[in-house]
Amino acid sequence: MNDKQAVAEYALNYIQNGMIIGLGTGSTANFFIEALAQRYQQENLQIKVVASSLVSQLKAQQLGMPIIAIEHIERLDIYVDGADEVAPDMTLLKGRGSDLVKEKLLVEAAEQFIVLIDPSKQVNRIGDNFPIPAEVLPFAWQLVQQKMHHAGAQVTLRKTDSGLAITSCGNLVLDLIFDSELSTIALNGLLNATPGIVEHGIFHALADIILLANKGEITKITSGK
Ligand code: 5RP
């Protein structure tokens, strides 16, 4: 079993009967969805799930899980997802799956946000391994690009093999590489304050628990927030 699967299965320890559970997106989240579906069937759990993306929704549907739409929830008990980077202060970088708005909405709505990682996700500073994604309104991307250039960023409009990357909310994604003099807090503030950016990949002071799997051994990192 690889570390992504090991940590996903360990996260089942946080699941209780009756919970509304947010499902993340990505390969680690997929392992969690599979493990959760298995437990749901075996124990006949009375749970409901909310997906952060169409991909996760389809996966949960195929596995027979009871899905509720994001429009129909007021809160979640728990949201479980992976991350692309985790800094020592527990700030995360997310968004390779593009659906940043839904991911952050579910994080905010959840009593507990649990992040599943392996050592490859640990960085000294957000942006060390990946550009910072920003989900932008389609008509705003050039103005946002200009503002980010002025802030010293290299900006790339995200593409897929079949054309532009389009989120499930119909938005575009800009990938941003900033020079290392800007702190993560400053970047978070800049992106929060830029009109046209609907959401971005810096998740600052949002994670409650990080579960790190390293060669099968699980370490729990908590925020104390
Ligand atoms: C999707 C995400 C994912 O959690 C992140 O990309 C990690 O993916 P993986 O589990 O495949 O390594 O933020 O938007």
Side-chain angles (χ1 to χ4, degrees):
M1 185 186 297
N2 67 35
D3 278 337
K4 288 186 177 190
Q5 187 172 1
V7 76
E9 294 193 0
Y10 186 88
L12 289 183
N13 289 317
Y14 292 85
I15 301 302
Q16 289 167 15
N17 202 13
M19 279 185 162
I20 302 178
I21 302 156
L23 306 177
T25 301
S27 54
T28 317
N30 276 345
F31 281 123
F32 176 74
I33 297 170
E34 282 164 15
L36 182 65
Q38 198 176 20
R39 189 160 153 211
Y40 166 71
Q41 305 289 357
Q42 281 168 354
E43 298 179 23
N44 195 21
L45 290 180
Q46 301 302 303
I47 55 171
K48 292 198 169 80
V49 298
V50 187
S52 61
S53 65
L54 192 55
V55 176
S56 297
Q57 183 182 319
L58 290 174
K59 186 163 184 74
Q61 252 163 4
Q62 279 159 2
L63 294 170
M65 307 203 65
I67 299 177
I68 43 175
I70 211 163
E71 293 90 325
H72 297 150
I73 56 162
E74 287 174 3
R75 54 170 288 285
L76 290 174
D77 291 291
I78 193 165
Y79 178 64
V80 182
D81 201 354
D84 297 308
E85 295 182 350
V86 179
D89 69 352
M90 290 179 71
T91 300
L92 315 174
L93 184 70
K94 291 185 50 56
R96 299 319 300 160
S98 298
D99 264 328
L100 290 160
V101 178
K102 285 191 185 166
E103 288 189 0
K104 218 175 255 184
L105 269 175
L106 293 184
V107 167
E108 289 274 355
E111 307 268 316
Q112 205 169 34
F113 174 31
I114 300 193
V115 186
L116 312 179
I117 62 164
D118 59 60
S120 70
K121 307 297 179 69
Q122 293 182 295
V123 295
N124 289 325
R125 184 179 172 277
I126 291 301
D128 273 358
N129 291 345
F130 292 102
I132 297 168
E135 184 168 344
V136 293
L137 292 165
F139 56 82
W141 79 266
Q142 278 150 310
L143 286 174
V144 174
Q145 171 178 251
Q146 205 176 0
K147 179 163 174 179
M148 293 301 120
H149 278 155
H150 286 147
Q154 294 170 46
V155 185
T156 312
L157 185 59
R158 192 181 288 182
K159 297 198 172 94
T160 65
D161 292 343
S162 51
L164 289 175
I166 298 179
T167 72
S168 66
C169 304
N171 295 318
L172 301 174
V173 180
L174 295 179
D175 283 311
L176 311 168
I177 299 176
F178 287 92
D179 105 29
S180 58
E181 278 167 29
L182 280 171
S183 71
T184 304
I185 305 267
L187 288 178
N188 190 43
L190 171 71
L191 299 176
N192 284 343
T194 299
I197 294 184
V198 186
E199 201 42 85
H200 59 83
I202 299 176
F203 284 49
H204 175 65
L206 292 174
D208 295 298
I209 297 174
I210 292 172
L211 296 175
L212 165 71
N214 191 356
K215 300 190 181 83
E217 193 176 314
I218 310 289
T219 307
K220 176 178 162 182
I221 304 161
T222 51
S223 67
K225 73 173 180 167

